[in-house]
Amino acid sequence: MSTLEYTIYGIKRGLRFSRTFIFSGAFAALLVNGIFAAEFTGTHRTIVMAMFAVWTLLFGFKVYARFFTPSQSESSLNRTSFELGLMLVLATHAGIQMAGGFASPYYPALFVLVAFLVVYTSQWVGFTLVVVTILLEFAVIAAHPSDAGWQQAILHGVFVALFSVINLIFTRTEVTRVRHKALQKIEQEKQQLHSDARAFRLTSATTGRDKGRSRQEEEERLSRCTVSEVRRAMYQHVDLLKQTMDLNTCILFWQKEGKRTLRVLECVTDSDAIAHREYNVKEGVVGAIYQSGRPMALRDLRPGHPSLVYYSEETTVTDFIGVPIREGAAIHGVLCGDRKNNHRFSERDKAIFSASVESILQNVSNERVFVQLQKAKSEQSLLLSASESLSKALSTSDVVRAALDAAALIAPFDMAAVTLNDGEDKQRVIEARGDNAEQLASLEMTTRCGLAGSVYKTGHYLPYRGNFDAKQQIVYTKKAQSAFERMCSLLVLPLSSGDEVLGTLMMASATVGVYTEEIRTTLQVMINQLGTKLQNAAMVQQLRELATTDGLTGLPNHRSFQDELTRQLAHSSRFGKPTSVILCDVDKFKGVNDTYGHTVGDIVLKALGETLRRNVVRDTDMPARYGGEEFVIVCGGTDTAGAVQLGERIRKDLERQVFHTDKGELCCTISMGVAEFPLHANSREDLVERADLALYAAKEGGRNQVRVWTRGMVK
């Protein structure tokens, strides 16, 4: 850089830092000359308006610099505060001069201003502005002398000084009182938190994980407990060092996670000027210790030494010591202490500080082990709870619901679904929860579709690390992909039993990074058991169907019919509604078996079963196989006329059917008997017997007809 360029740069820099003072000097000169007291016309008006316009512009710049510019040094903040205060003093003097001078009733505004400045700026800034305020008034009186003016100026000066001092004393006293009370309250809360945390840990150690608490809630509880224990131990170390080593301040800095800054974690001090803010790792002596990783001791420090950045005001400290908190190659923070009595820190003091650091790190390490043990215990408790829930579920739907309840405790989800194999090459969603669940309900797809298909084929979870992009990754089908637009994390896990994949479990969340490796592993343990439970549920369902279903026709069997009839008759008795029974029998069925063979006979029975299913559509009606070639229909809430109408529809349907056999075409008919409760019978046995008598009458009357029981019918 040339000499000329260096000179120009220096002039620009000087103007930038001194422009406020240059303007303030010009403003003060006009104030002393009484320009603001002159008649507000012509040239005077132009000058006054121009000065206030420039004042407003500069004041706005300084307000922005003071309150909206980050990472300012203490000296820079004090300088900006002084400039703002100076401009406010000048503007207030100008306003008083315009309102009639020092005898104006608005003069007390100056008292209010100096009281504000003394309280809300640093001590040297506030009292410097008080001196400037008094000197300005004396300068104005000197430019326009009068005996009364000097007496008034002296009186005003005394009052301004006294008002400032008294206000500062009272305000600082009140601030100290409030701070002391707040510190007492904080200390009480710390003690209470410590007591609660210890009690909570003992409870946790004996009773285990509370049922119904999610994994996230459990981790938050553990974090609160652990942080409380670590902070308690750190505070005890800092307080003990302060008391036993005759320190003015003992302060523990800790690196903020993910940032190159240090924050005050614990502090015990006799000073009111500790700055609780974030410190750059290169700032002051604390930053130097952090960067070098070595202990450091300073002695014979002058008051307000700039390296002691944790003081917000000039403080008399003579000796300082700091030790890095090192764990292996990593440095987590710095432990510092200082004295005010010229008592130097010895090598023994350094050793004590280093031992305290080791003790703090050991406490942190112990808490880490405790957390890991608690997490492992929590996982075992959670899996045990899930196992208990799954063991109580017998049906497939109950097993799936219990599994989703357990999965919600392990990991949060905004939507979840379970698919099961529904054929050789198909999957179907049998349960969906959360956002857009209605779009996934009963969704069917092939085992080649989307992530779910890939998981089903390979038996391996997807996507990698649980990261999900709805625009790139199809979960089930393109048609259902809109349900996943908001999701940022997703996990599709295989439901396996041995080597067989039965389906998939899908969980999705709108939060990024939810499904970590730890969560996925825990979920996999749970769903391994789920696969076995699903197979067991399918077997239970098969046994239940074998016990209640006719193997040939697929209709409910005789036992199911009796249970349903009992239920319907009880309902009829309670609500006064009729229940009808239709007893059906294939006409000349023995001849069909003898002529065409039992295989054709079975085909006829299956066809009749299908005919009944097709025509009996009400939820209150139930067709069943009564035995042999006889079938029965329970018609809840149906009278005789309705039962006859249903019987005729079934009879005509079967009559139209033609069965093709090796011995030619075959047509079959059925006869039906109807009886109504309580019109024809008052008990289950009588009702079935009279329907049977009506059926016999239909057979005797020519077959292929529906008859209603009447008195006098006998076999």
Side-chain angles (χ1 to χ4, degrees), residues 555-568:
L555 293 176
N557 58 18
H558 184 90
R559 175 184 174 183
S560 299
F561 154 69
Q562 293 289 354
D563 292 341
E564 178 65 14
L565 180 59
T566 301
R567 190 182 69 82
Q568 288 287 1

Side-chain angles (χ1 to χ4, degrees), residues 32-143:
V32 170
N33 288 324
I35 190 70
F36 298 98
E39 186 177 353
F40 198 61
T41 58
T43 305
H44 289 96
R45 174 187 293 179
T46 303
I47 294 173
V48 170
M49 292 181 66
M51 291 303 292
F52 274 111
V54 176
W55 182 93
T56 302
L57 185 64
L58 279 176
F59 189 81
F61 284 148
K62 290 302 174 182
V63 168
Y64 180 84
R66 175 62 178 81
F67 297 105
F68 301 100
T69 303
S71 303
Q72 297 184 77
S73 65
E74 193 72 24
S75 60
S76 177
L77 289 173
N78 286 335
R79 176 190 175 89
T80 308
S81 298
F82 178 78
E83 291 173 337
L84 284 171
L86 180 61
M87 295 182 73
L88 286 172
V89 168
L90 291 170
T92 305
H93 265 292
I96 291 171
Q97 195 174 89
M98 293 173 68
F102 297 121
S104 167
Y106 299 106
Y107 187 88
L110 205 58
F111 293 141
V112 176
L113 177 64
V114 295
F116 172 84
L117 294 175
V118 167
V119 172
Y120 290 100
T121 59
S122 62
Q123 195 166 327
W124 75 265
V125 171
F127 280 106
T128 302
L129 291 172
V130 170
V131 173
V132 170
T133 302
I134 296 172
L135 290 178
L136 268 176
E137 184 167 347
F138 276 92
V140 171
I141 297 299

